[in-house]
Amino acid sequence: MRIDAKGMHFAALNGLIRDSADGEIVIDNVLGQRYIAAGAAGRHIVVRGVPGNALGAYMNGCRVDVYGSAQDAVGDTMNDGVIVVHGSCGDTAGYAMRGGRIFIEGDAGYRVGIHMKEYGSAVPCIVVGGRAGSYLGEYQAGGRIVVLGIGSEGRQCVGDFTSTGMHGGKIYVRGGCIPADLPRQTEVRAVTDKSELAPLVRDFCTCFGFDADALLADDYFMLVPSTAYIYKTLYVNRPD
Amino acid sequence: MNETYIMPDYEIVRNAERCVRCMACVRLCANGAHIFDEKRGVLTADDSKCVNCHYCVANCPTKAIKIVRSDHCFKPSANYTEDVIKDIYRQADTGGVLLSSMGTTKSYPVYWDKMLVNASQVTNPPIDPLREPMEIRTFLGKKPETVKYRADGRLEAETHPNLMLKTPIMFSAMSYGSISKNAHIALARAAEELGTFYNTGEGGLHEDLYQYGANTIVQVASGRFGVHPAYLNAGAAIEIKMGQGAKPGIGGHLPGSKIGEDVSRTRMIPKGTDAISPAPHHDIYSIEDLRQLVFGLKEATDYKKPVIVKIAAVHNIAAIASGIARSGADIIAIDGFRGGTGAAPTRIRDNVGIPIELALAAVDTRLRDEGIRGRVGLVAGGSVRSSADVVKAIALGADAVYIATPALLAMGCHLCRSCHGGKCNWGIATQSPELVARLDPDVARERLVNLVTAWSREIMEMMGGMGINSIEALRGNRLMLRGIGLTQKELDVLGIRHAGE
């Protein structure tokens, strides 16, 4: 199915997608329509243009290819599937993501991967090709975030307050520019074993045509929480 | 200096004549307050571990135990009271933020108790609800704003998804994690039997409870625990939690110690890690952003389910509610500051927010003034303690109420306010399997059904007394209320007149 979304309201556009039985859907002239592929499963959706907020929110197993940049809340609370953005994206990509993968070719805004979850084999992953904004991985409870910083070599490619409140999961960052303001409960480690990182970087390169071997040859550091109980010592029980 | 010794608040008194030394109390107390000293052969107690939950009292076969307030005292002062002194010691010892459970214990005004309900005499006579039909069924959600006649003369109106409640009482949000699975099962079964709804809270929905989906409100909070398409579609409505009356501006932290295998799977976070739902939704900074979340949820559920936005009662509540009514939400739930909680910083619980009665009246007035009251259903919660409170809430403008503390009490809670310890002897606010097993979900279900059935009958009695036979005629009918002992300002905010006027 091919849809021309020019001038179309999001409710009409998403209604067409929901009502279509087609597995392959191409949407042309997308300009800010929200919630494309929200809660959807089992489709391959190609978006040409700039989708609006909450692309693939609660998504449950589609593949979405965006030929353009995306706005805020890409893959919000996404459960499964793959979102590939051939451009940059706005804030809170992958908020509370529970599974699946998001690949952003360019930069990502604030609060990427915050509240990401993880349970058993459901390990959500986000790979950002360029830079990520402040509060990357805030309250992260699980999952993997990779920031490659392509084009920002020699400079810090993550913003301020990275991993604030992180208590699970891992953040991989290419290069050696470790932020100076990391919170106390985050531990920085050099990445010596790239077996978990390599398939993510290779999948990213397959999407966008970068040289995986060259990227993987570089140094990476990893942020992990030093405790799963960030508020353990904060409170004193009052018998009342 | 060593840690300050704080005298226990309660003493365990054992009647030696009645006690048969069966040791049930020693075996049953999860806090280890009852001790058998084998060396001396004496049954004794550690008062400092007693939370005054009455589990031993209720289960002592010879009724040999009672718990009394300790008469040990500091020098009396109306300013530096015992509580104030002890809290200072606790914080000097630990440097910790004080943590409490359940609603505030401070003596703020309870406006429910300062309002009186009307009854008919002579003209517009009372109605006998035992003999005549009395309608308390409530439809909760957005109402049609326009009605047109079609060419064939039939009515045409836009319709919106509404919840149908057989009684205007719902069980408010309590998460799986903060309360036990058996407590959730009891709430779900009671809601099903009563034709009303219970609320999952922010901890997701256990797979065994999907079968009660038609009577379930699923909650989405900032941590998005257990939120996925099947969960959203399982419930009859979706509630976005923006705030909670007991802790406005504060989120939820379920400690890792309460995240066992089942809670871990339901919340979808690794076992043993903290579950953190901070106060802000980091994607909501405006009514427009809230609208984005409301419509995102509607898109994900094909516009089939009403979306509730739950907020704590705070100072600018009327303006906030007006914004929410314009966000596309179908229902606003307002939670007053005397409401309960599984854990809240004590100072927040006891000092932040406003009473539900004032908040509800202010919101209903504001939405009416702006002509948008019909766009949303209004649910009031946060210390609704009896059917009289329900009647007064509806007369102030609520469509329905949320109750939680009365539901816990019905299931056996003795309001010991120690939920945050996680060792609830009654099997409610705990994840310990042997304690959870003490709560029989079907006994608890029956007690919940009894409670709400009794309240519903009382509501009908009071409505009948007022000469009203439909709950819709009571909603926002503030002429049915009069204030007693209130200032003119309080009467103005409540929108009611004084008794005798």
PDB file of all heavy atoms in Angstrom, chain B residues 13-46:
ATOM      1  N   VAL B  13       1.038  -6.342  75.772  1.00  0.00           N
ATOM      2  CA  VAL B  13       0.619  -6.783  77.112  1.00  0.00           C
ATOM      3  C   VAL B  13       0.047  -8.194  76.984  1.00  0.00           C
ATOM      4  O   VAL B  13      -0.859  -8.448  76.191  1.00  0.00           O
ATOM      5  CB  VAL B  13      -0.443  -5.821  77.698  1.00  0.00           C
ATOM      6  CG1 VAL B  13      -0.870  -6.300  79.083  1.00  0.00           C
ATOM      7  CG2 VAL B  13       0.103  -4.403  77.760  1.00  0.00           C
ATOM      8  N   ARG B  14       0.636  -9.121  77.751  1.00  0.00           N
ATOM      9  CA  ARG B  14       0.211 -10.524  77.675  1.00  0.00           C
ATOM     10  C   ARG B  14      -0.473 -10.900  78.988  1.00  0.00           C
ATOM     11  O   ARG B  14       0.102 -10.736  80.061  1.00  0.00           O
ATOM     12  CB  ARG B  14       1.447 -11.402  77.449  1.00  0.00           C
ATOM     13  CG  ARG B  14       1.161 -12.753  76.837  1.00  0.00           C
ATOM     14  CD  ARG B  14       2.441 -13.575  76.712  1.00  0.00           C
ATOM     15  NE  ARG B  14       3.537 -12.837  76.082  1.00  0.00           N
ATOM     16  CZ  ARG B  14       3.688 -12.714  74.764  1.00  0.00           C
ATOM     17  NH1 ARG B  14       2.824 -13.262  73.957  1.00  0.00           N
ATOM     18  NH2 ARG B  14       4.700 -12.020  74.276  1.00  0.00           N
ATOM     19  N   ASN B  15      -1.667 -11.403  78.892  1.00  0.00           N
ATOM     20  CA  ASN B  15      -2.398 -11.832  80.089  1.00  0.00           C
ATOM     21  C   ASN B  15      -1.908 -13.231  80.456  1.00  0.00           C
ATOM     22  O   ASN B  15      -2.202 -14.219  79.779  1.00  0.00           O
ATOM     23  CB  ASN B  15      -3.904 -11.830  79.780  1.00  0.00           C
ATOM     24  CG  ASN B  15      -4.730 -12.161  80.998  1.00  0.00           C
ATOM     25  OD1 ASN B  15      -4.373 -13.021  81.791  1.00  0.00           O
ATOM     26  ND2 ASN B  15      -5.860 -11.469  81.138  1.00  0.00           N
ATOM     27  N   ALA B  16      -1.141 -13.324  81.559  1.00  0.00           N
ATOM     28  CA  ALA B  16      -0.478 -14.580  81.919  1.00  0.00           C
ATOM     29  C   ALA B  16      -1.484 -15.677  82.244  1.00  0.00           C
ATOM     30  O   ALA B  16      -1.230 -16.852  81.989  1.00  0.00           O
ATOM     31  CB  ALA B  16       0.446 -14.343  83.109  1.00  0.00           C
ATOM     32  N   GLU B  17      -2.625 -15.282  82.771  1.00  0.00           N
ATOM     33  CA  GLU B  17      -3.631 -16.298  83.120  1.00  0.00           C
ATOM     34  C   GLU B  17      -4.217 -16.951  81.875  1.00  0.00           C
ATOM     35  O   GLU B  17      -4.500 -18.138  81.852  1.00  0.00           O
ATOM     36  CB  GLU B  17      -4.767 -15.652  83.922  1.00  0.00           C
ATOM     37  CG  GLU B  17      -4.428 -15.488  85.385  1.00  0.00           C
ATOM     38  CD  GLU B  17      -5.576 -14.857  86.155  1.00  0.00           C
ATOM     39  OE1 GLU B  17      -6.725 -14.894  85.672  1.00  0.00           O
ATOM     40  OE2 GLU B  17      -5.293 -14.309  87.237  1.00  0.00           O
ATOM     41  N   ARG B  18      -4.398 -16.131  80.820  1.00  0.00           N
ATOM     42  CA  ARG B  18      -5.023 -16.670  79.605  1.00  0.00           C
ATOM     43  C   ARG B  18      -4.023 -17.371  78.697  1.00  0.00           C
ATOM     44  O   ARG B  18      -4.371 -18.290  77.974  1.00  0.00           O
ATOM     45  CB  ARG B  18      -5.684 -15.543  78.817  1.00  0.00           C
ATOM     46  CG  ARG B  18      -6.905 -14.980  79.514  1.00  0.00           C
ATOM     47  CD  ARG B  18      -7.629 -14.062  78.556  1.00  0.00           C
ATOM     48  NE  ARG B  18      -8.539 -13.197  79.274  1.00  0.00           N
ATOM     49  CZ  ARG B  18      -9.100 -12.114  78.749  1.00  0.00           C
ATOM     50  NH1 ARG B  18      -8.828 -11.773  77.524  1.00  0.00           N
ATOM     51  NH2 ARG B  18      -9.925 -11.382  79.458  1.00  0.00           N
ATOM     52  N   CYS B  19      -2.779 -16.912  78.703  1.00  0.00           N
ATOM     53  CA  CYS B  19      -1.780 -17.417  77.751  1.00  0.00           C
ATOM     54  C   CYS B  19      -1.515 -18.903  78.001  1.00  0.00           C
ATOM     55  O   CYS B  19      -1.243 -19.304  79.139  1.00  0.00           O
ATOM     56  CB  CYS B  19      -0.482 -16.624  77.889  1.00  0.00           C
ATOM     57  SG  CYS B  19       0.842 -17.262  76.845  1.00  0.00           S
ATOM     58  N   VAL B  20      -1.623 -19.708  76.935  1.00  0.00           N
ATOM     59  CA  VAL B  20      -1.372 -21.149  77.074  1.00  0.00           C
ATOM     60  C   VAL B  20      -0.020 -21.514  76.455  1.00  0.00           C
ATOM     61  O   VAL B  20       0.289 -22.680  76.267  1.00  0.00           O
ATOM     62  CB  VAL B  20      -2.508 -21.979  76.437  1.00  0.00           C
ATOM     63  CG1 VAL B  20      -3.789 -21.797  77.217  1.00  0.00           C
ATOM     64  CG2 VAL B  20      -2.708 -21.599  74.972  1.00  0.00           C
ATOM     65  N   ARG B  21       0.773 -20.512  76.139  1.00  0.00           N
ATOM     66  CA  ARG B  21       2.104 -20.702  75.575  1.00  0.00           C
ATOM     67  C   ARG B  21       2.071 -21.609  74.324  1.00  0.00           C
ATOM     68  O   ARG B  21       2.896 -22.501  74.156  1.00  0.00           O
ATOM     69  CB  ARG B  21       3.032 -21.286  76.630  1.00  0.00           C
ATOM     70  CG  ARG B  21       3.038 -20.411  77.887  1.00  0.00           C
ATOM     71  CD  ARG B  21       4.410 -20.068  78.290  1.00  0.00           C
ATOM     72  NE  ARG B  21       4.879 -20.955  79.326  1.00  0.00           N
ATOM     73  CZ  ARG B  21       6.155 -21.083  79.666  1.00  0.00           C
ATOM     74  NH1 ARG B  21       7.071 -20.395  79.019  1.00  0.00           N
ATOM     75  NH2 ARG B  21       6.519 -21.867  80.616  1.00  0.00           N
ATOM     76  N   CYS B  22       1.110 -21.351  73.447  1.00  0.00           N
ATOM     77  CA  CYS B  22       1.024 -22.124  72.198  1.00  0.00           C
ATOM     78  C   CYS B  22       2.034 -21.612  71.186  1.00  0.00           C
ATOM     79  O   CYS B  22       2.292 -22.250  70.178  1.00  0.00           O
ATOM     80  CB  CYS B  22      -0.383 -22.048  71.622  1.00  0.00           C
ATOM     81  SG  CYS B  22      -0.844 -20.406  71.033  1.00  0.00           S
ATOM     82  N   MET B  23       2.586 -20.434  71.430  1.00  0.00           N
ATOM     83  CA  MET B  23       3.632 -19.838  70.598  1.00  0.00           C
ATOM     84  C   MET B  23       3.124 -19.372  69.229  1.00  0.00           C
ATOM     85  O   MET B  23       3.920 -19.074  68.343  1.00  0.00           O
ATOM     86  CB  MET B  23       4.818 -20.792  70.364  1.00  0.00           C
ATOM     87  CG  MET B  23       5.424 -21.352  71.611  1.00  0.00           C
ATOM     88  SD  MET B  23       6.138 -20.052  72.633  1.00  0.00           S
ATOM     89  CE  MET B  23       6.267 -20.917  74.179  1.00  0.00           C
ATOM     90  N   ALA B  24       1.823 -19.328  69.046  1.00  0.00           N
ATOM     91  CA  ALA B  24       1.300 -18.847  67.760  1.00  0.00           C
ATOM     92  C   ALA B  24       1.818 -17.441  67.479  1.00  0.00           C
ATOM     93  O   ALA B  24       2.232 -17.120  66.363  1.00  0.00           O
ATOM     94  CB  ALA B  24      -0.219 -18.854  67.783  1.00  0.00           C
ATOM     95  N   CYS B  25       1.838 -16.592  68.489  1.00  0.00           N
ATOM     96  CA  CYS B  25       2.280 -15.207  68.289  1.00  0.00           C
ATOM     97  C   CYS B  25       3.745 -15.165  67.836  1.00  0.00           C
ATOM     98  O   CYS B  25       4.107 -14.371  66.961  1.00  0.00           O
ATOM     99  CB  CYS B  25       2.066 -14.394  69.561  1.00  0.00           C
ATOM    100  SG  CYS B  25       2.777 -15.137  71.035  1.00  0.00           S
ATOM    101  N   VAL B  26       4.575 -16.050  68.410  1.00  0.00           N
ATOM    102  CA  VAL B  26       5.995 -16.080  68.033  1.00  0.00           C
ATOM    103  C   VAL B  26       6.132 -16.490  66.567  1.00  0.00           C
ATOM    104  O   VAL B  26       6.902 -15.907  65.808  1.00  0.00           O
ATOM    105  CB  VAL B  26       6.776 -17.064  68.940  1.00  0.00           C
ATOM    106  CG1 VAL B  26       8.243 -17.130  68.516  1.00  0.00           C
ATOM    107  CG2 VAL B  26       6.647 -16.669  70.399  1.00  0.00           C
ATOM    108  N   ARG B  27       5.340 -17.485  66.182  1.00  0.00           N
ATOM    109  CA  ARG B  27       5.417 -17.982  64.803  1.00  0.00           C
ATOM    110  C   ARG B  27       4.848 -16.968  63.815  1.00  0.00           C
ATOM    111  O   ARG B  27       5.336 -16.834  62.701  1.00  0.00           O
ATOM    112  CB  ARG B  27       4.630 -19.292  64.665  1.00  0.00           C
ATOM    113  CG  ARG B  27       5.303 -20.500  65.279  1.00  0.00           C
ATOM    114  CD  ARG B  27       4.603 -21.789  64.813  1.00  0.00           C
ATOM    115  NE  ARG B  27       3.182 -21.784  65.114  1.00  0.00           N
ATOM    116  CZ  ARG B  27       2.651 -22.169  66.287  1.00  0.00           C
ATOM    117  NH1 ARG B  27       3.441 -22.589  67.253  1.00  0.00           N
ATOM    118  NH2 ARG B  27       1.350 -22.132  66.479  1.00  0.00           N
ATOM    119  N   LEU B  28       3.798 -16.256  64.205  1.00  0.00           N
ATOM    120  CA  LEU B  28       3.067 -15.435  63.244  1.00  0.00           C
ATOM    121  C   LEU B  28       3.682 -14.057  62.999  1.00  0.00           C
ATOM    122  O   LEU B  28       3.569 -13.507  61.904  1.00  0.00           O
ATOM    123  CB  LEU B  28       1.620 -15.251  63.713  1.00  0.00           C
ATOM    124  CG  LEU B  28       0.747 -16.514  63.669  1.00  0.00           C
ATOM    125  CD1 LEU B  28      -0.627 -16.218  64.249  1.00  0.00           C
ATOM    126  CD2 LEU B  28       0.618 -17.038  62.246  1.00  0.00           C
ATOM    127  N   CYS B  29       4.312 -13.463  64.001  1.00  0.00           N
ATOM    128  CA  CYS B  29       4.736 -12.070  63.842  1.00  0.00           C
ATOM    129  C   CYS B  29       5.934 -11.951  62.903  1.00  0.00           C
ATOM    130  O   CYS B  29       7.037 -12.405  63.217  1.00  0.00           O
ATOM    131  CB  CYS B  29       5.073 -11.441  65.193  1.00  0.00           C
ATOM    132  SG  CYS B  29       5.548  -9.709  64.981  1.00  0.00           S
ATOM    133  N   ALA B  30       5.713 -11.342  61.738  1.00  0.00           N
ATOM    134  CA  ALA B  30       6.792 -11.175  60.761  1.00  0.00           C
ATOM    135  C   ALA B  30       7.841 -10.188  61.253  1.00  0.00           C
ATOM    136  O   ALA B  30       8.978 -10.179  60.769  1.00  0.00           O
ATOM    137  CB  ALA B  30       6.219 -10.700  59.433  1.00  0.00           C
ATOM    138  N   ASN B  31       7.463  -9.366  62.209  1.00  0.00           N
ATOM    139  CA  ASN B  31       8.412  -8.378  62.726  1.00  0.00           C
ATOM    140  C   ASN B  31       9.252  -8.931  63.868  1.00  0.00           C
ATOM    141  O   ASN B  31      10.150  -8.248  64.362  1.00  0.00           O
ATOM    142  CB  ASN B  31       7.649  -7.134  63.206  1.00  0.00           C
ATOM    143  CG  ASN B  31       6.877  -6.485  62.079  1.00  0.00           C
ATOM    144  OD1 ASN B  31       7.467  -6.066  61.092  1.00  0.00           O
ATOM    145  ND2 ASN B  31       5.558  -6.435  62.199  1.00  0.00           N
ATOM    146  N   GLY B  32       8.935 -10.137  64.323  1.00  0.00           N
ATOM    147  CA  GLY B  32       9.701 -10.750  65.410  1.00  0.00           C
ATOM    148  C   GLY B  32       9.510 -10.067  66.746  1.00  0.00           C
ATOM    149  O   GLY B  32      10.415 -10.032  67.584  1.00  0.00           O
ATOM    150  N   ALA B  33       8.302  -9.535  66.975  1.00  0.00           N
ATOM    151  CA  ALA B  33       8.055  -8.817  68.224  1.00  0.00           C
ATOM    152  C   ALA B  33       7.848  -9.771  69.402  1.00  0.00           C
ATOM    153  O   ALA B  33       8.161  -9.441  70.534  1.00  0.00           O
ATOM    154  CB  ALA B  33       6.846  -7.899  68.067  1.00  0.00           C
ATOM    155  N   HIS B  34       7.322 -10.967  69.120  1.00  0.00           N
ATOM    156  CA  HIS B  34       7.119 -11.963  70.185  1.00  0.00           C
ATOM    157  C   HIS B  34       8.315 -12.913  70.209  1.00  0.00           C
ATOM    158  O   HIS B  34       8.741 -13.410  69.165  1.00  0.00           O
ATOM    159  CB  HIS B  34       5.834 -12.759  69.946  1.00  0.00           C
ATOM    160  CG  HIS B  34       4.594 -11.931  70.045  1.00  0.00           C
ATOM    161  ND1 HIS B  34       3.978 -11.653  71.238  1.00  0.00           N
ATOM    162  CD2 HIS B  34       3.879 -11.285  69.087  1.00  0.00           C
ATOM    163  CE1 HIS B  34       2.913 -10.895  71.014  1.00  0.00           C
ATOM    164  NE2 HIS B  34       2.839 -10.642  69.717  1.00  0.00           N
ATOM    165  N   ILE B  35       8.845 -13.152  71.394  1.00  0.00           N
ATOM    166  CA  ILE B  35      10.071 -13.953  71.511  1.00  0.00           C
ATOM    167  C   ILE B  35       9.888 -15.009  72.597  1.00  0.00           C
ATOM    168  O   ILE B  35       9.361 -14.708  73.682  1.00  0.00           O
ATOM    169  CB  ILE B  35      11.264 -13.046  71.904  1.00  0.00           C
ATOM    170  CG1 ILE B  35      11.486 -11.963  70.843  1.00  0.00           C
ATOM    171  CG2 ILE B  35      12.537 -13.867  72.112  1.00  0.00           C
ATOM    172  CD1 ILE B  35      12.274 -10.776  71.367  1.00  0.00           C
ATOM    173  N   PHE B  36      10.317 -16.233  72.288  1.00  0.00           N
ATOM    174  CA  PHE B  36      10.363 -17.239  73.346  1.00  0.00           C
ATOM    175  C   PHE B  36      11.818 -17.389  73.787  1.00  0.00           C
ATOM    176  O   PHE B  36      12.679 -17.774  73.002  1.00  0.00           O
ATOM    177  CB  PHE B  36       9.798 -18.579  72.868  1.00  0.00           C
ATOM    178  CG  PHE B  36       9.817 -19.622  73.954  1.00  0.00           C
ATOM    179  CD1 PHE B  36       9.034 -19.467  75.097  1.00  0.00           C
ATOM    180  CD2 PHE B  36      10.632 -20.747  73.854  1.00  0.00           C
ATOM    181  CE1 PHE B  36       9.054 -20.422  76.111  1.00  0.00           C
ATOM    182  CE2 PHE B  36      10.660 -21.703  74.870  1.00  0.00           C
ATOM    183  CZ  PHE B  36       9.872 -21.540  75.994  1.00  0.00           C
ATOM    184  N   ASP B  37      12.074 -17.053  75.033  1.00  0.00           N
ATOM    185  CA  ASP B  37      13.428 -17.149  75.583  1.00  0.00           C
ATOM    186  C   ASP B  37      13.606 -18.565  76.119  1.00  0.00           C
ATOM    187  O   ASP B  37      13.130 -18.908  77.206  1.00  0.00           O
ATOM    188  CB  ASP B  37      13.591 -16.103  76.698  1.00  0.00           C
ATOM    189  CG  ASP B  37      15.011 -16.075  77.250  1.00  0.00           C
ATOM    190  OD1 ASP B  37      15.720 -17.106  77.111  1.00  0.00           O
ATOM    191  OD2 ASP B  37      15.410 -15.037  77.807  1.00  0.00           O
ATOM    192  N   GLU B  38      14.279 -19.405  75.318  1.00  0.00           N
ATOM    193  CA  GLU B  38      14.366 -20.826  75.673  1.00  0.00           C
ATOM    194  C   GLU B  38      15.148 -21.049  76.958  1.00  0.00           C
ATOM    195  O   GLU B  38      14.838 -21.939  77.746  1.00  0.00           O
ATOM    196  CB  GLU B  38      14.995 -21.618  74.522  1.00  0.00           C
ATOM    197  CG  GLU B  38      14.023 -21.763  73.358  1.00  0.00           C
ATOM    198  CD  GLU B  38      14.554 -22.632  72.232  1.00  0.00           C
ATOM    199  OE1 GLU B  38      15.512 -23.389  72.481  1.00  0.00           O
ATOM    200  OE2 GLU B  38      14.017 -22.528  71.124  1.00  0.00           O
ATOM    201  N   LYS B  39      16.192 -20.229  77.159  1.00  0.00           N
ATOM    202  CA  LYS B  39      17.034 -20.409  78.335  1.00  0.00           C
ATOM    203  C   LYS B  39      16.219 -20.260  79.622  1.00  0.00           C
ATOM    204  O   LYS B  39      16.299 -21.072  80.537  1.00  0.00           O
ATOM    205  CB  LYS B  39      18.169 -19.374  78.293  1.00  0.00           C
ATOM    206  CG  LYS B  39      19.488 -19.902  78.876  1.00  0.00           C
ATOM    207  CD  LYS B  39      20.513 -18.793  78.952  1.00  0.00           C
ATOM    208  CE  LYS B  39      21.565 -18.966  77.871  1.00  0.00           C
ATOM    209  NZ  LYS B  39      22.524 -17.838  77.868  1.00  0.00           N
ATOM    210  N   ARG B  40      15.398 -19.224  79.617  1.00  0.00           N
ATOM    211  CA  ARG B  40      14.611 -18.965  80.820  1.00  0.00           C
ATOM    212  C   ARG B  40      13.223 -19.602  80.746  1.00  0.00           C
ATOM    213  O   ARG B  40      12.466 -19.573  81.713  1.00  0.00           O
ATOM    214  CB  ARG B  40      14.467 -17.448  81.021  1.00  0.00           C
ATOM    215  CG  ARG B  40      15.799 -16.752  81.346  1.00  0.00           C
ATOM    216  CD  ARG B  40      15.559 -15.328  81.831  1.00  0.00           C
ATOM    217  NE  ARG B  40      14.981 -14.478  80.773  1.00  0.00           N
ATOM    218  CZ  ARG B  40      14.030 -13.576  80.971  1.00  0.00           C
ATOM    219  NH1 ARG B  40      13.528 -13.399  82.173  1.00  0.00           N
ATOM    220  NH2 ARG B  40      13.587 -12.846  79.975  1.00  0.00           N
ATOM    221  N   GLY B  41      12.906 -20.122  79.564  1.00  0.00           N
ATOM    222  CA  GLY B  41      11.574 -20.712  79.398  1.00  0.00           C
ATOM    223  C   GLY B  41      10.464 -19.685  79.493  1.00  0.00           C
ATOM    224  O   GLY B  41       9.358 -19.969  79.944  1.00  0.00           O
ATOM    225  N   VAL B  42      10.765 -18.464  79.044  1.00  0.00           N
ATOM    226  CA  VAL B  42       9.801 -17.363  79.201  1.00  0.00           C
ATOM    227  C   VAL B  42       9.343 -16.864  77.826  1.00  0.00           C
ATOM    228  O   VAL B  42      10.151 -16.728  76.910  1.00  0.00           O
ATOM    229  CB  VAL B  42      10.446 -16.185  79.983  1.00  0.00           C
ATOM    230  CG1 VAL B  42       9.449 -15.043  80.150  1.00  0.00           C
ATOM    231  CG2 VAL B  42      10.942 -16.653  81.326  1.00  0.00           C
ATOM    232  N   LEU B  43       8.043 -16.605  77.712  1.00  0.00           N
ATOM    233  CA  LEU B  43       7.501 -15.963  76.519  1.00  0.00           C
ATOM    234  C   LEU B  43       7.530 -14.454  76.757  1.00  0.00           C
ATOM    235  O   LEU B  43       6.893 -13.945  77.686  1.00  0.00           O
ATOM    236  CB  LEU B  43       6.063 -16.440  76.295  1.00  0.00           C
ATOM    237  CG  LEU B  43       5.360 -16.007  75.015  1.00  0.00           C
ATOM    238  CD1 LEU B  43       6.167 -16.329  73.781  1.00  0.00           C
ATOM    239  CD2 LEU B  43       3.993 -16.674  74.932  1.00  0.00           C
ATOM    240  N   THR B  44       8.288 -13.752  75.934  1.00  0.00           N
ATOM    241  CA  THR B  44       8.464 -12.321  76.168  1.00  0.00           C
ATOM    242  C   THR B  44       8.236 -11.556  74.861  1.00  0.00           C
ATOM    243  O   THR B  44       7.729 -12.124  73.894  1.00  0.00           O
ATOM    244  CB  THR B  44       9.869 -12.057  76.783  1.00  0.00           C
ATOM    245  OG1 THR B  44      10.052 -10.659  76.952  1.00  0.00           O
ATOM    246  CG2 THR B  44      10.973 -12.615  75.911  1.00  0.00           C
ATOM    247  N   ALA B  45       8.580 -10.283  74.830  1.00  0.00           N
ATOM    248  CA  ALA B  45       8.309  -9.492  73.628  1.00  0.00           C
ATOM    249  C   ALA B  45       9.339  -8.376  73.487  1.00  0.00           C
ATOM    250  O   ALA B  45       9.904  -7.905  74.474  1.00  0.00           O
ATOM    251  CB  ALA B  45       6.908  -8.880  73.704  1.00  0.00           C
ATOM    252  N   ASP B  46       9.597  -7.992  72.231  1.00  0.00           N
ATOM    253  CA  ASP B  46      10.435  -6.825  71.957  1.00  0.00           C
ATOM    254  C   ASP B  46       9.500  -5.729  71.429  1.00  0.00           C
ATOM    255  O   ASP B  46       9.137  -5.723  70.247  1.00  0.00           O
ATOM    256  CB  ASP B  46      11.506  -7.180  70.923  1.00  0.00           C
ATOM    257  CG  ASP B  46      12.420  -5.996  70.617  1.00  0.00           C
ATOM    258  OD1 ASP B  46      12.084  -4.857  71.031  1.00  0.00           O
ATOM    259  OD2 ASP B  46      13.452  -6.205  69.953  1.00  0.00           O
TER     260      ASP B  46
END
